[in-house]
């Protein structure tokens, strides 16, 4: 897994989803690639294609979750505490409509990060 983003980036990210426990290792720990993959538990070794396809599926799922409009919106929204303060101020100002601070903030975030069509 990428240490900065958390995005899966190595076949080990897939291998831990195949079986639990310490079932696999590498014959050369300085070169942890499919060719050096070994199985410790007597089970079958996944094919190289299963490993690359599995990693690709994990990466696609991560990309969808972290690069989607939903995650972009989550990052852009103000905190819930600040949103509640906006709503309270809007209530006091009699602006519980689309002109209030909270409503304009939400609209700006949604406009900047629209749902795909």
């Amino acid at each position: 897994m990428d240490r900065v983003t958390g995005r899966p980036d190595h076949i080990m990210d897939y291998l831990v989803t195949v079986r639990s426990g310490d079932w696999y290792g590498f014959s050369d720990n300085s070169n942890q690639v499919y060719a050096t993959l070994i199985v410790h538990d007597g089970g079958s070794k996944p094919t190289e294609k299963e490993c690359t396809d599995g990693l690709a599926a994990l990466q696609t799922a991560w990309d969808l979750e972290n690069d989607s409009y939903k995650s972009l919106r989550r990052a852009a929204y103000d905190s819930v505490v600040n949103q509640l303060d906006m709503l309270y101020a809007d209530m006091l100002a009699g602006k519980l409509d689309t002109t209030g601070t909270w409503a304009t903030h939400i609209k700006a975030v949604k406009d900047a990060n629209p749902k795909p069509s």
Side-chain angles (χ1 to χ4, degrees):
M1 212 164 280
D2 183 276
R3 292 181 184 194
V4 175
T5 65
R7 185 177 191 265
D9 66 353
H10 192 274
I11 64 168
M12 286 189 293
D13 297 321
Y14 167 71
L15 293 173
V16 298
T17 70
V18 175
R19 294 197 291 275
S20 61
D22 190 22
W23 69 271
Y24 73 92
F26 295 92
S27 61
D28 180 358
N29 279 323
S30 63
N31 188 26
Q32 296 179 336
V33 295
Y34 184 81
T36 66
L37 176 65
I38 55 175
V39 175
H40 298 300
D41 69 357
S44 63
K45 179 178 176 179
T47 66
E48 187 169 11
K49 181 167 176 29
E50 288 171 331
C51 291
T52 56
D53 289 352
L55 176 59
L58 291 172
Q59 290 172 330
T60 298
W62 188 94
D63 291 344
L64 287 172
E65 178 61 28
N66 292 283
D67 293 339
S68 70
Y69 79 92
K70 290 179 184 178
S71 63
L72 295 171
R73 282 186 181 180
R74 265 193 306 272
Y77 284 131
D78 212 332
S79 71
V80 172
V81 171
N82 288 344
Q83 288 188 45
L84 289 171
D85 284 343
M86 288 178 209
L87 282 170
Y88 181 70
D90 289 346
M91 285 172 52
L92 294 178
K95 290 189 166 193
L96 288 178
D97 57 17
T98 59
T99 65
T101 305
W102 179 81
T104 56
H105 168 68
I106 298 300
K107 183 173 180 356
V109 170
K110 289 179 180 272
D111 288 349
N113 304 289
K115 285 183 183 180
S117 301

